[in-house]
Amino acid sequence: MNRGSREYYRLLFVLSTSLILLLSGCIQLPKKEPEEEIVFDLNTASFYNPKTNTSEHIHVKNLNSSGSFFRHEDQMEIIAGLRDAQGRPGIFINLTLGIIYSWFSQWSEEFNLTKKLGLSVTTNASGIAYLLITYNQWSWPKSMAGTWGSLELSSCYLNNTIGRSKEFSFHFYDKKVLRNTTAEGGLAAIENLENSNLIEEARSLAGTENSYVDWTIPSYGGVTRAIINTTSIKYYTEYRGQPRISIIYIAWAVPFEEMNYTYLSIRSDWTKYIGTGLNGILEDGLSPSYSWLTTGPLAEANITAGWVIFQKIMIDSFSMALDAWGVTVYQISLIATDFQLRWLISRSSEWIS
């Protein structure tokens, strides 16, 4: 037997013997230790901004040029990370998105946006939450505290853990313009009245008690407060001085064919078409209170057919609880069938806080 054959049989013997011993349990292979399970610690969880790695902050960015001004439908990007004290990610945790409006930090108001807007926020396998919101001023909640607010992420599974964004100013511009009439030709009458030189026409009317004649026109921002015309309508409906603004302009034209229109009729039709606001118009109209301006008694209008036009414009402007103002102007005009002004009475009221 040559040397190669002997080595072969020796190797075969060693392998066979080892196999027998292994099967009999005499030889033990080293056991593989179980891998340590990674457990996310809810008690030490904290949010962070993945963009900057800043603790307790979340990344929020408006993707459209209008920012948070609600000029049109906007999109907002929200990114947040969740980790514990050991840096382990919080995986597949449902989060709640809210907004906290504040007024100097003395008063705040909270809205649950996940519930109100149906938003779903969940961290992924890396512990990152990503959300793209499409929003507008009609669905976004308004606060009585102010217009400045921070977005916040939280979870009922996490104790005292909140991720906050920087503050945003959310702007709400609500505008309603309504011109209507009870008969054909009324809209033209309204348009003609709005485009007239109303103050000069009111001063020119012959009335023994015409309070427009010597009236020094008060102004706010260069716009007359106690009349409604194209200039004042444009100013109020385009005003953008504060974050929250609500403008309502209503005009109605009602025809009449004989001079039996009384102050009682005016109050009745005003309530029907416009609403409230005629406090201070007396039955004879001679001494109206509440700072009414008038071209004189209604009986001196000297008109047998035409239109009575009711107008009301109201603006409420608000930033926060102690930074708000509003103006309301009430106006009633009688114009002839040729659209010439024959009688006018108006009043403005203003509030500031």
Side-chain angles (χ1 to χ4, degrees):
M1 183 181 295
N2 59 35
R3 179 180 177 83
S5 297
R6 287 197 300 273
E7 293 295 330
Y8 169 77
Y9 284 108
R10 184 179 295 118
L11 178 60
L12 182 62
F13 173 77
V14 172
L15 291 175
S16 300
T17 304
S18 299
L19 180 60
I20 293 171
L21 293 174
L22 178 62
L23 293 175
S24 65
C26 296
I27 297 178
Q28 299 276 337
L29 292 176
K31 293 182 179 180
K32 184 179 180 181
E33 294 294 332
E35 293 183 1
E36 182 181 356
E37 184 180 358
I38 299 177
V39 179
F40 176 69
D41 186 1
L42 294 174
N43 295 320
T44 62
S46 64
F47 286 96
Y48 68 98
N49 182 345
K51 295 280 189 177
T52 61
N53 201 30
T54 307
S55 297
E56 298 183 357
H57 285 74
I58 60 178
H59 168 81
V60 178
K61 181 180 180 180
N62 283 291
L63 301 181
N64 295 341
S65 59
S66 64
S68 54
F69 279 66
F70 297 115
R71 295 289 178 87
H72 52 76
E73 197 167 64
D74 272 358
Q75 285 190 316
M76 180 185 295
E77 179 185 66
I78 300 175
I79 305 176
L82 186 62
R83 62 192 174 191
D84 62 13
Q86 301 301 318
R88 292 170 293 208
I91 298 172
F92 304 132
I93 293 180
N94 294 326
L95 305 175
T96 298
L97 178 66
I99 182 171
I100 309 296
Y101 286 104
S102 61
W103 170 32
F104 294 120
S105 77
Q106 299 177 32
W107 182 34
S108 63
E109 188 172 2
E110 179 177 358
F111 292 94
N112 185 326
L113 298 179
T114 298
K115 182 177 180 180
K116 182 175 177 62
L117 303 181
L119 302 173
S120 176
V121 190
T122 305
T123 57
N124 60 21
S126 300
I128 304 295
Y130 177 82
L131 182 65
L132 185 65
I133 302 176
T134 300
Y135 67 100
N136 56 57
Q137 72 175 43
W138 312 113
S139 59
W140 198 262
K142 300 178 184 178
S143 167
M144 292 305 297
T147 56
W148 283 88
S150 297
L151 296 178
E152 296 190 352
L153 280 174
S154 61
S155 173
C156 60
Y157 304 105
L158 309 174
N159 296 325
N160 303 318
T161 300
I162 296 176
R164 294 181 175 88
S165 74
K166 64 180 181 180
E167 281 194 331
F168 294 90
S169 179
F170 294 92
H171 289 211
F172 304 86
Y173 296 151
D174 301 337
K175 180 175 71 172
K176 182 173 80 171
V177 176
L178 174 65
R179 296 177 178 91
N180 217 327
T181 182
T182 60
E184 184 179 354
L187 294 180
I190 293 172
E191 181 180 359
N192 184 276
L193 182 67
E194 290 175 354
N195 291 325
S196 65
N197 189 341
L198 206 53
I199 287 295
E200 293 304 317
E201 290 192 29
R203 284 174 168 170
S204 67
L205 294 178
T208 58
E209 298 186 31
N210 188 330
S211 55
Y212 285 94
V213 173
D214 299 319
W215 179 48
T216 301
I217 303 174
S219 62
Y220 187 90
V223 177
T224 302
R225 289 184 298 179
I227 64 165
I228 299 176
N229 60 10
T230 299
T231 302
S232 60
I233 294 169
K234 181 179 180 181
Y235 175 79
Y236 288 126
T237 54
E238 294 181 358
Y239 178 78
R240 293 293 181 269
Q242 287 185 287
R244 184 189 301 176
I245 299 169
S246 175
I247 303 106
I248 299 175
Y249 172 56
I250 305 174
W252 272 84
V254 180
F256 66 91
E257 296 181 352
E258 58 185 47
M259 194 55 215
N260 61 357
Y261 212 67
T262 66
Y263 288 96
L264 183 62
S265 303
I266 286 176
R267 284 199 294 269
S268 176
D269 282 349
W270 178 277
T271 302
K272 181 177 179 180
Y273 298 112
I274 304 296
T276 59
L278 287 193
N279 296 336
I281 290 187
L282 305 181
E283 191 63 33
D284 58 8
L286 295 177
S287 303
S289 59
Y290 284 78
S291 302
W292 284 95
L293 292 166
T294 178
T295 56
L298 183 60
E300 295 184 11
N302 191 25
I303 180 173
T304 57
W307 299 87
V308 56
I309 298 177
F310 303 104
Q311 293 167 288
K312 174 182 177 180
I313 191 165
M314 178 173 64
I315 178 171
D316 290 326
S317 179
F318 172 88
S319 178
M320 55 184 56
L322 295 181
D323 185 11
W325 65 273
V327 174
T328 304
V329 183
Y330 313 90
Q331 183 168 288
I332 304 170
S333 310
L334 258 62
I335 61 175
T337 53
D338 60 358
F339 299 153
Q340 292 300 307
L341 181 69
R342 289 293 181 265
W343 180 80
L344 178 70
I345 184 170
S346 68
R347 176 175 75 90
S348 68
S349 62
E350 182 176 353
W351 62 271
I352 301 175
S353 67

